[in-house]
Amino acid sequence: MMTVRADELRENLHLVRERIEKACEAAGRASDEVTLVAVTKTFPVSDVRALTALGVRDVGENREQELKAKAPDWPDVTWHFVGQLQSKKARSVVRYASVVHSVDRSSLVTALSKAAVAEERTVRCLLQVSLAWYGPAEAATGAGRGGVEPSAILGLAAEVAAADGLELGGVMAVAPLGSDPDEAFAGLRDVASRLRSEHPGADWISAGMTGDLDAAIRQGATHVRLGRALLGTRPPLG
Ligand SMILES: *Cc1c(COP(=O)(O)O)cnc(C)c1O
């Protein structure tokens, strides 16, 4: 059984890398400008092991429970936290993840900073940008997919830059359902360049999932977060 799954993951990884290379080529970018983050949520730790054996070095989770269950001390894996984060879970997340993609409010900056200092770690923080503006009007008023309004990004960035234990890494976003991902990610790219003009080191753009990877790469993504393309369809969340 293991071998069948390992073969499947090897094939998926091969296809995903080809897709990234083609998208980079079409966009006139070098494929090593784009880092693949394998989002393994809902899949077993054996899949993480299989992917790392195939050379994947960046792995993402969106829930603290799953992160702490799956992230034993693998020195050659960089764990990324990509989900909504409650402040009270900051300490546990910081213990395992070296990048948090979903920083979206001052109180979380404070909690992450305290946690990073306590754990004696440096955490790279990406500011999650709301692209609700690019979605259908009804989506903008609904639960949405999180993030800070673009106009508030520089303020939050200054807080991260000044916080002990944190390093400002760049921006992250999820394209709203029903949006044109090229338009949404072009908006993200604008926010990213405004951020970079004040914080030159904050040059990561985390954008692109299985459904909109190509658009994200066209619009400058440096980190793509892929789940289904690599691991297959997820069981429905309970
Ligand atoms: C699940 C998830 C992904 C991966 O999505 P796929 O569509 O499976 O590629 C990326 N980013 C975040 C924030 C996620 O929660």
Side-chain angles (χ1 to χ4, degrees):
M1 290 301 283
M2 265 307 287
T3 344
V4 173
R5 180 60 172 157
D7 284 348
E8 185 178 18
L9 292 175
R10 175 181 293 109
E11 176 64 11
N12 289 351
L13 182 60
H14 176 72
L15 293 172
V16 159
R17 286 196 169 135
E18 244 176 27
R19 207 175 141 192
I20 293 173
E21 260 166 49
K22 284 208 180 102
C24 284
E25 205 178 295
R29 304 181 60 197
S31 53
D32 65 3
E33 287 174 36
V34 177
T35 299
L36 164 65
V37 179
V39 179
T40 54
K41 65 188 185 199
T42 76
F43 290 97
V45 75
S46 54
D47 283 355
V48 178
R49 200 162 287 131
L51 286 171
T52 58
L54 293 166
V56 170
R57 288 292 164 264
D58 292 87
V59 180
E61 284 293 336
N62 74 332
R63 292 183 177 192
E64 175 262 348
Q65 288 279 62
E66 252 190 285
L67 177 72
K68 81 177 172 201
K70 283 185 199 160
D73 204 10
W74 291 337
D76 51 354
V77 171
T78 298
W79 286 91
H80 297 249
F81 190 80
V82 303
Q84 288 211 340
L85 179 53
Q86 291 174 272
S87 294
K88 66 178 183 198
K89 303 277 175 70
R91 180 90 187 248
S92 170
V93 163
V94 160
R95 199 166 290 147
Y96 304 105
S98 27
V99 188
V100 174
H101 290 232
S102 44
V103 176
D104 60 358
R105 57 195 191 278
S106 295
S107 56
L108 183 58
V109 173
T110 308
L112 285 169
S113 171
K114 227 174 111 183
V117 169
E119 295 290 330
E120 299 182 357
R121 295 192 60 164
T122 300
V123 179
R124 193 163 173 93
C125 292
L126 308 186
L127 306 180
Q128 185 172 354
V129 180
S130 168
L131 300 178
W133 166 258
Y134 298 95
E138 61 273 24
T141 54
R145 303 178 100 178
V148 186
E149 290 304 317
S151 59
I153 285 291
L154 290 180
L156 193 62
E159 293 176 31
V160 173
D164 290 333
L166 305 183
E167 174 180 284
L168 182 63
V171 293
M172 175 273 212
V174 177
L177 290 169
S179 66
D180 172 341
D182 271 288
E183 270 179 32
F185 292 142
L188 179 65
R189 180 182 222 164
D190 283 347
V191 176
S193 72
R194 267 186 284 135
L195 179 68
R196 255 194 336 267
S197 66
E198 285 194 14
H199 304 274
D203 57 356
W204 289 14
I205 301 178
S206 167
M209 303 167 38
T210 295
D212 52 24
L213 162 67
D214 305 75
I217 289 178
R218 272 194 295 279
Q219 303 304 332
T222 63
H223 290 70
V224 294
R225 309 178 309 271
L226 298 180
R228 291 167 299 155
L230 271 178
L231 294 132
T233 311
R234 277 185 294 276
L237 292 175

